[in-house]
Every structure is written in structure tokens, then in C-alpha cells.
Amino acid sequence: MDVSALTLTQLRYLLAVDEHRSFRGAAESCRVSQPALSMQIRRLEEILGVCLFDRGKSPVVPTDVGTRVVTQARQVLRECARLPDVTQSFDVVAGSYRLGVIPTLARTLIPRLVSSFTKAYPRVHLVIEELPTDLLVRRLLEDTVDGGLAVTPLGSPAIHERHLGFERFFVYLSPKHPLGKQTEIRQSDLVEYKPWLLSEEHCFRTQILHLCSIDLRQQPSDGGVRFEAGSLDTLIDIVDTGHGLTLLPELVANRLAPERKSQLRSFSPPVPVRRISLIHSRQQERRPLADAVLSILTEGLPAALRRRPTDAVIPPILPAHRRKK
């Protein structure tokens, strides 16, 4: 097989068809005509001597061999994209860096990063995107983001985790909640008083479910209502109206207005914490940029968060059915 006539453009078109499962959609995303894209895919099939897509199905799907070619093509394009990185001097921090951030860290960490990073590294174009954990990991492995800010451990051998710090969990109570009489909260206290939760894509939710031993198939929320929010701010507002309680990570708790902080309660030992990390693919070549992000964030974190508290416990991030046996 002579692949000398194969082009990177053909591989990009191949991935576009696989992503959109449509020749028309792929052509639009690549900003070419559909006949031109289809002709290049046909030419690629002739070079490889295989059929890459089952065109008789809607949406279009890759054949078995097509799936393997797509995987290899993605790796080829990923390595080609790294060529500028390996020629970059390690003494100069410059270029673009695509950073994904999970929603429960975005509001508290990104403001600490943006202004300081821009001043320290003016030659870096930092692109930040808010992504749930599962999508962030997938995007890292697909090389569509360079790094991420997430809660770890993720248990993925393909992902490198560089620890930033530890956030304690706090209980946020409605103004007249019965637990407000206590100065500290035990985990067992939360079995009776069910907390309001974030929606399923948030790993913070999974940690709370484990911490409070909650089975959502059996346990209704406050007054029979179960509401799953997209943000911690929404949960805070619900609690402030006099309904129940929720859990907050330390950086969010620190941002509360003074009058709201009286509704916070700490945990009695062992104190639940979550570990914050900068994550990236183990094959990543953009180490100077990752080091720069890590440095700025570490400097911006309160000193208390850089150390793991004594008598601390880290609740699992992944649901039970996805944890390693």
C-alpha cells in the first residue's frame, strides 16, 4: 500500500465525517463543498483500499475498519499539531493553551488565574472553557484541550494529575434549621436531613451522595420535592428561602457575604475534603505552559488550602458502578 498520496486534509475530513455522522455536516464544519469533501474521502478509501463509511445508513457510521482508521488518523493529526511545541524553546513561555475547568471550580479559581497570568505571561493566549468532568477527560484524550482544572483522583492511567490543594466541605443551613444549634456537623446528622444536590454531571454531587449515604431511589428531598441544580448559587438561594441545607466547597463558602457565613457549619473529624488538581494527558508536550498555569494558581490559593487537613477524608468522585474493583 502506497500512502504517499495521503494528505492531512483527507484525515481532517475523515474525522469531521465521523464527528458529524453526515457528509453535509462535515462539509459545513470544514467550510468546503460537499462534493469536494466526498471526493477526498473517496480518494482516501482508494489509497487505503478499504471502505471507511457505511453510506447506506442514516446517520452515516464508520465501518469496523473505518473506526480503526479514524482512531489512527486522530493520533496522526494530534502528533502533527505538536510540531510547533517541540520546536519551542523551553526558556520561553509562549503560544496558546486551552484550559478546561469543571463548573464548581470555575467561579473560584478562574478569577485567581486570569489577571495574574496575563501579567506574568503576556505571550500566552489562554483559552478557558467550562466543562463537566467526563467531557473534560474526553477532550483531554482527544487533544481538543491541553489541560484541565478538576477534582481528583480520576483513576485514569492516561491522565496525569498535579495537585494544587484541598478544599474542605462545609454545611450551609437555612436560617432556622434544627442543625443550626450545633457548632459542628457529623456525617451521620446528614442522613436524616437530606441536602439539596447539583445535577448528575457534577462530581461534587457524587461526593455528597457518598458522604451522606443517600440512595436517591429511596430518599425524597425536602417536602417530597427533588430539585437538582446546575450551580451552587442556585442551591444557596434555595436554602436562604428557609428550605433545608446543602454542602459547599471551601472556596465557595469563603466568598459568601458576612451575613450568610453565620449559616455555615464545619464538619467534625474526619473532615471531608476534595483534592484540586491540574490535569493533562501523559503524552502532552506543552509542559512549560502547564507549569505556568500551575504556578499562578498555586500562588493564588490561600495557604490553608495547599495542605491536606489532618483527619481528612476524600469521598469518591466516581459513582460506585464506575469505580475500579
Side-chain angles (χ1 to χ4, degrees):
M1 180 187 303
D2 182 9
V3 296
S4 60
L6 186 150
T7 68
L8 296 179
T9 297
Q10 290 167 347
L11 297 185
R12 294 189 185 98
Y13 290 172
L14 171 71
L15 297 189
V17 175
D18 179 63
E19 178 184 354
H20 294 277
R21 297 299 164 100
S22 160
F23 282 83
R24 176 180 296 178
E28 290 175 354
S29 71
C30 295
R31 299 182 180 181
V32 296
S33 67
Q34 184 176 336
L37 181 138
S38 297
M39 181 181 69
Q40 290 299 324
I41 295 294
R42 287 286 189 190
R43 177 60 183 145
L44 180 60
E45 289 177 321
E46 291 172 2
I47 293 171
L48 299 177
V50 295
C51 178
L52 297 172
F53 293 100
D54 186 343
R55 294 165 173 80
K57 293 184 178 180
S58 182
V60 173
V61 296
T63 60
D64 289 343
V65 67
T67 299
R68 297 195 296 273
V69 173
V70 165
T71 299
Q72 188 65 30
R74 184 172 287 114
Q75 183 175 341
V76 169
L77 292 175
R78 182 184 301 136
E79 295 303 320
C80 285
R82 289 193 175 115
L83 286 174
D85 298 331
V86 299
T87 62
Q88 188 75 251
S89 170
F90 273 63
D91 297 329
V92 179
V93 181
S96 64
Y97 192 81
R98 303 159 297 176
L99 182 71
V101 188
I102 64 172
T104 58
L105 288 175
R107 186 178 178 187
T108 53
L109 288 189
I110 296 308
R112 299 170 184 271
L113 173 66
V114 173
S115 59
S116 297
F117 192 90
T118 302
K119 292 176 183 177
Y121 302 102
R123 296 181 60 181
V124 176
H125 177 52
L126 184 63
V127 180
I128 305 172
E129 188 174 355
E130 193 171 298
L131 300 168
T133 302
D134 284 350
L135 180 56
L136 172 56
V137 171
R138 186 164 77 247
R139 294 277 300 274
L140 281 172
L141 298 178
E142 292 173 352
D143 204 34
T144 56
V145 294
D146 298 305
L149 293 173
V151 174
T152 60
L154 296 172
S156 172
I159 298 295
H160 184 55
E161 302 173 358
R162 306 174 67 186
H163 304 157
L164 279 164
F166 296 87
E167 276 190 291
R168 293 177 294 168
F169 288 40
F170 285 84
V171 180
Y172 187 69
L173 303 166
S174 54
K176 296 183 179 180
H177 197 282
L179 291 178
K181 300 175 183 178
Q182 300 179 197
T183 56
E184 289 188 335
I185 303 297
R186 301 182 301 270
Q187 286 183 230
S188 57
D189 294 329
L190 300 179
V191 175
E192 179 181 356
Y193 299 103
K194 313 303 181 301
W196 294 101
L197 300 168
L198 291 171
S199 49
E200 289 186 357
E201 67 269 20
H202 298 277
C203 59
F204 190 61
R205 164 201 172 95
T206 304
Q207 291 184 298
I208 293 175
L209 290 174
H210 176 85
L211 183 67
C212 303
S213 302
I214 296 175
D215 185 344
L216 292 179
R217 296 169 297 181
Q218 302 173 6
Q219 306 285 356
S221 295
D222 185 274
V225 176
R226 190 170 112 196
F227 173 73
E228 297 178 353
S231 76
L232 292 169
D233 288 338
T234 303
L235 297 182
I236 291 170
D237 289 342
I238 292 174
V239 172
D240 283 346
T241 62
H243 295 281
L245 60 88
T246 192
L247 272 68
L248 301 177
E250 186 168 357
L251 288 173
V252 173
N254 288 346
R255 290 171 60 99
L256 292 175
E259 61 272 16
R260 280 176 156 174
K261 288 187 177 180
S262 64
Q263 296 166 231
L264 288 171
R265 295 294 182 275
S266 57
F267 276 92
S268 58
V271 178
V273 300
R274 65 176 188 168
R275 185 165 64 197
I276 305 169
S277 300
L278 175 68
I279 61 174
H280 54 74
S281 166
R282 289 190 179 277
Q283 298 181 1
Q284 190 200 69
E285 297 288 345
R286 320 203 79 188
R287 189 60 178 259
L289 290 171
D291 290 345
V293 171
L294 187 70
S295 172
I296 293 296
L297 283 171
T298 301
E299 291 173 5
L301 277 183
L305 269 70
R306 299 176 200 169
R307 302 182 300 272
R308 178 170 177 164
T310 57
D311 296 324
V313 60
I314 301 178
I317 296 166
L318 299 177
H321 70 278
R322 290 176 54 193
R323 292 179 216 146
K324 291 183 179 181
K325 303 298 182 182

